[in-house]
Amino acid sequence: MDEHSQIQQDRLRRAGGALMNWWRATTLDALLVGAMWLVGLLIIRVPLAPLWAFIAALCQFVPGIGIALAACGPVVSAAFASSDSDFEKVWWTLGLYGVIVILDGLVIQPLILKRHTRVPWWAALLGPIIGGILLPPWGALLAPPILAVIYALRKPPEQRV
C-alpha cells in the first residue's frame, strides 16, 4: 500500500470514528435530557410522564427544534390535568422546559461534545446557529456531525508545523 492511500485510509478511519463519537455523545445527551424530563414531570405529576420523557429523549436527535417539540406533549397533558381555572401544572412544566433547555444547551451538550469529539464548547454552541443561518434548516441539522469530523481531521497541535 502506498503512502497516499494509507493517508486516505487514516482520514476515513478518523472521520468514521468522529461520527461514531458524535453519535455516542448525542445518545448520552438524549438519555440525560430524558432523565431530566422524567424526574421533573414525575415531581409535577404530569400524566404519562414516562412517555413524554421517552419522546423528549428521541427529540434530542433533531438539533435545534427537537427540544421545543418535546415540550408540546407534556404541556398539553399538564393543561388537561390542571383544574378549570388553575393552570399551575402548565406553568411548572414550562419552567421545567426552560431549565432543561438552559442546562442542556449551555452546559451538558458542549461538555459532552468536547469530551467525546474534541469539539470546543464555543463551536458546539455556535456551529448550529451559524449553519442554520447559512443553510436553513440543513445547516443547523448537519453542523454537529460536520464539526465532529472537521475537528477529528485536524492535526493535533504538537503535529502542526
Side-chain angles (χ1 to χ4, degrees), residues 56-154:
L58 289 179
C59 286
Q60 279 301 108
F61 290 99
V62 181
I65 62 168
I67 192 80
L69 293 175
C72 297
V75 169
V76 171
S77 187
F80 283 117
S82 296
S83 64
D84 291 334
S85 63
D86 180 22
F87 284 103
E88 185 175 344
K89 285 186 181 185
V90 173
W91 302 122
W92 281 109
T93 305
L94 289 171
L96 174 65
Y97 164 73
V99 168
I100 291 172
V101 165
I102 290 170
L103 282 176
D104 184 52
L106 296 178
V107 178
I108 296 170
Q109 270 185 356
L111 289 177
I112 289 175
L113 274 177
K114 177 157 177 60
R115 180 172 180 195
H116 286 278
T117 63
R118 296 180 10 190
V119 175
W121 68 269
W122 58 267
L125 188 65
L126 296 176
I129 295 170
I130 294 170
I133 291 169
L134 295 177
L135 186 64
W138 297 107
L141 295 174
L142 296 175
I146 289 172
L147 281 171
V149 170
I150 289 170
Y151 277 93
L153 293 178
R154 289 180 58 199

Side-chain angles (χ1 to χ4, degrees), residues 5 16 19 22 36 38 40 43-44 49 59-60 68-69 89 123 138:
S5 62
L19 288 175
W22 170 80
M36 287 189 293
L38 180 63
I43 290 171
I44 300 170
C59 286
Q60 279 301 108
L69 293 175
K89 285 186 181 185
W138 297 107

Side-chain angles (χ1 to χ4, degrees), residues 29-45:
D29 178 53
L31 290 172
L32 290 172
V33 167
M36 287 189 293
W37 271 110
L38 180 63
V39 170
L41 292 175
L42 288 174
I43 290 171
I44 300 170
R45 295 192 179 143

